[in-house]
Amino acid sequence: MQLRSLRLTDFRNYADAAVEFRPGLNLVVGRNGQGKTNLLEAINVLSGLGSHRGAAGEAMVRQGAERAVLSGTGSAGGRDVRVDAEVKRTGGTRLLVNRVAVERMSASSSAGMLVAVAFSPDDLVIIKGGPEERRRLLDQGAARVRPLGATERQEFERVLRQRTGLLKAASTSHRALATLDVWDESFARAGAVVVRNRLAVLDRLRPEVLRRYRSVSGQAGEVSVEYKASWLEPGTASAASEEGLRAALFDALAKARSRDLERGVSTVGPQRDDVEVLLEGADARLFASQGEQRTLALSLRMAERDLVAANRGEDPILLLDDIFSELDEVRRGHLVEMVAASGQTIATATSGAGWPMAVSQTLTVEAGRVLARE
Amino acid sequence: MLAGPVQDLVEELTRLPGIGPKTAQRLAFHILKVDTADARRLAGAIVGVKEKTRFCARCFNISTTELCGYCTADRRDPTLVCVVEEARDIEAVEKTGEFKGRYHVLGGAISPIDGVGPDDLRIAELLARIPSEGIAEIIVATNPNVEGEATGMYLARLISPLGVKITRIASGLPVGGDLEYADEVTLGRAFEGRREFPH
């Protein structure tokens, strides 16, 4: 999988820029605040995942513009591909692959998408941050494996918003309550699909995380990732069918109803679930050292890469956002190994010096302009 | 700066759905150029649509008379009612030529975030029609989205206990297409809504 060209219009600090990429390692250098990370962010948006920094559309559109337009060409699945994205200031991104809207794409044509996996120093939040960071890892994974996963999650988000809207209205008008049964049913159905997708991703990530962790840490540690949902019996998640999940969620909503009405929010469901990263059986968030946490975060991202590679039958594009500065010698070595074995990598750094591997081209970014240099 | 009346027209046109400032300006200058008679006809049509139409007293379709054409037609089956969100949906169903019953326009779909509950839709009116018209089957043709499905489920909960058959139109594949080119959502829904071959 390869990105050959990228055009950015009104994206972040880029008014209008065109960049050509090569196979192998593309190094993007420049001082801070010139737009290096924005370039990686644009590629992440084109791979259908929005900002790897979790930014909203509003933040990605250049000041004074109504929309940002991105356009990339490359190859995926042995075919030429063109991806266009329009990010609206008001929120929402429209993505076209070979000029067909993603949500209208057939299963066979979605195999031709460009997929990127981003590594950033902020990845540590996967371990140290709140549950939403870990849910995002799974939801993004689900969307990467199957574009429909993103649509299914949006449908759940919509039902969640409607149910929450109803709970809020119910506090002032009792008649609004009449439809709560119906929304609970929709919620259970859409929520079960989201959780089923997450569990499927988790099952495939688990062995890869363990393998990567052992390799990077050089130790035979036991690492596992487990889905944690207040509405599921512990340990039953992985064996649950979609129907089973739906029934469990529906029951949990019924039990939570009075509390939900009192607080005006949905207190159970996929929007509250978490993923526990366990190191030697203990929650890594609380019990792992800073170094172990960094290794775990890196291993999770690498496992995500492995998942995409296995799913697509080819390497995804790797995006490394100033990651080397944060890593020690050993972890750096493993990352270098991964990059060397990959088809294409786009990495940012403040300087081009000291790269322990062959660089295909160096791009210099200065105030929203990109210059190529051999 | 445009002359006052032109500016007024541009502003009014901009308020129409799907019309931005540039299109509004183009339309306004077009209207400036046409005969006064043409302009009067356009203005008359706009006023006429407001003054000469009303809701059908039975199904809430747009009508010029007390009851709309579908409700008064002899050939249509009064025991079969198709429920739609908006009057414009009736035209879509009519184009198929497949449906020979009557209609009922809800006036939207249940959507708590927009403040639309069952009482804001013409659901009570639909329930009242069941005994008075001897309705035997209600076909729910709301939109296939989150709100349309919820509205359909709500109607089913109300109507099933009354002993009236309630059905949902199928989601499925375009006729004459290839499975390979179907988008995943539609194909998935088509599997969910599969049916047995008749014996």
Side-chain angles (χ1 to χ4, degrees), chain B residues 100-150:
Chain B
K100 295 291 179 220
R102 287 179 181 166
Y103 291 96
H104 188 85
V105 181
L106 291 175
I110 294 172
S111 177
I113 49 179
D114 299 310
V116 180
D119 296 355
D120 303 302
L121 303 174
R122 299 181 192 109
I123 291 176
E125 290 86 340
L126 175 65
L127 296 179
R129 284 179 67 181
I130 293 173
S132 69
E133 292 172 45
I135 294 171
E137 179 177 351
I138 288 176
I139 302 166
V140 179
T142 50
N143 291 329
N145 55 25
V146 164
E147 293 77 18
E149 293 295 344

Side-chain angles (χ1 to χ4, degrees), chain A residues 27-31 36 320-323 347-353 355:
Chain A
L27 199 56
V28 180
V29 298
R31 285 175 292 119
K36 300 190 297 286
L320 308 185
D321 192 2
D322 200 15
I323 181 127
T348 67
T350 39
S351 92
W355 276 77

Side-chain angles (χ1 to χ4, degrees), chain A residues 104 158 162 175 185-186, chain B residues 111-112 119 147 153 157 183:
Chain A
R104 295 278 112 211
R158 179 113 195 128
Q162 290 285 18
R175 70 189 177 89
E185 208 177 311
S186 296
Chain B
S111 177
D119 296 355
E147 293 77 18
M153 283 197 290
R157 276 163 191 260
D183 71 89

Side-chain angles (χ1 to χ4, degrees), chain A residues 319-360:
Chain A
L319 306 175
L320 308 185
D321 192 2
D322 200 15
I323 181 127
F324 281 82
S325 57
E326 299 288 328
L327 296 178
D328 66 18
E329 210 53 50
V330 180
R331 275 172 267 175
R332 198 179 293 189
H334 283 276
L335 204 58
V336 166
E337 219 171 88
M338 184 182 74
V339 170
S342 276
Q344 191 181 36
T345 300
I346 299 158
T348 67
T350 39
S351 92
W355 276 77
M357 64 191 120
V359 175
S360 299

Side-chain angles (χ1 to χ4, degrees), chain B residues 2 20 24 47-48 62 80 105 111 128 133 138 157 162 168-169 191 193-195:
Chain B
L2 295 170
V47 175
I62 309 291
L80 204 55
V105 181
S111 177
E133 292 172 45
I138 288 176
R157 276 163 191 260
L162 306 178
R168 177 88 174 103
I169 53 164
F191 266 91
R194 68 187 180 275
R195 59 165 190 236

Side-chain angles (χ1 to χ4, degrees), chain A residues 103-110 146-148 151 155-156 158-159 161-166 169 175-176 178-179 181-183 185-186 189 250, chain B residues 110-115 117-120 144-147 149-155 157 179-189 192:
Chain A
E103 62 275 14
R104 295 278 112 211
M105 246 165 33
S106 67
S108 58
S109 62
S110 63
R146 216 168 50 113
L148 182 56
T151 311
E155 192 162 311
F156 169 72
R158 179 113 195 128
V159 175
R161 273 180 59 208
Q162 290 285 18
R163 186 176 187 268
T164 308
L166 182 62
R175 70 189 177 89
T179 60
D181 284 343
V182 165
W183 286 112
E185 208 177 311
S186 296
R189 179 180 308 195
F250 193 70
Chain B
I110 294 172
S111 177
I113 49 179
D114 299 310
D119 296 355
D120 303 302
N145 55 25
V146 164
E147 293 77 18
E149 293 295 344
T151 308
M153 283 197 290
Y154 181 72
L155 288 177
R157 276 163 191 260
L179 272 195
E180 193 203 345
Y181 296 117
D183 71 89
E184 288 184 65
V185 186
T186 307
L187 191 54
R189 292 280 147 82
E192 235 176 88

Side-chain angles (χ1 to χ4, degrees), chain B:
Chain B
M1 186 70 200
L2 295 170
V6 182
Q7 189 63 40
D8 288 349
L9 181 57
V10 169
E11 272 168 24
E12 287 303 320
L13 290 170
T14 312
R15 288 167 56 185
L16 298 175
I19 300 208
K22 277 192 182 143
T23 309
Q25 210 173 64
R26 226 178 88 219
L27 291 173
F29 278 100
H30 173 79
I31 293 168
L32 258 180
K33 261 195 276 179
V34 303
D35 294 345
T36 309
D38 283 347
R40 272 193 204 290
R41 213 167 39 242
L42 175 63
I46 292 171
V47 175
V49 79
K50 288 305 290 179
E51 287 180 348
K52 293 180 197 152
T53 62
R54 53 168 144 174
F55 292 124
C56 168
R58 187 183 280 155
C59 75
F60 301 94
N61 186 15
I62 309 291
S63 174
T64 51
T65 47
E66 168 84 13
L67 292 177
C68 76
Y70 302 121
C71 284
T72 51
D74 300 336
R75 297 256 186 102
R76 301 190 80 101
D77 182 354
T79 68
L80 204 55
V81 169
C82 175
V83 175
V84 293
E85 290 182 21
E86 303 291 346
R88 61 168 182 264
D89 299 331
I90 292 181
E91 298 317 308
V93 177
E94 275 304 301
K95 273 191 202 146
T96 67
E98 286 295 317
F99 180 68
K100 295 291 179 220
R102 287 179 181 166
Y103 291 96
H104 188 85
V105 181
L106 291 175
I110 294 172
S111 177
I113 49 179
D114 299 310
V116 180
D119 296 355
D120 303 302
L121 303 174
R122 299 181 192 109
I123 291 176
E125 290 86 340
L126 175 65
L127 296 179
R129 284 179 67 181
I130 293 173
S132 69
E133 292 172 45
I135 294 171
E137 179 177 351
I138 288 176
I139 302 166
V140 179
T142 50
N143 291 329
N145 55 25
V146 164
E147 293 77 18
E149 293 295 344
T151 308
M153 283 197 290
Y154 181 72
L155 288 177
R157 276 163 191 260
L158 283 181
I159 291 167
S160 293
L162 306 178
V164 175
K165 189 173 170 189
I166 177 159
T167 52
R168 177 88 174 103
I169 53 164
S171 296
L173 300 166
V175 175
D178 281 337
L179 272 195
E180 193 203 345
Y181 296 117
D183 71 89
E184 288 184 65
V185 186
T186 307
L187 191 54
R189 292 280 147 82
F191 266 91
E192 235 176 88
R194 68 187 180 275
R195 59 165 190 236
E196 250 182 284
F197 282 111
H199 296 295

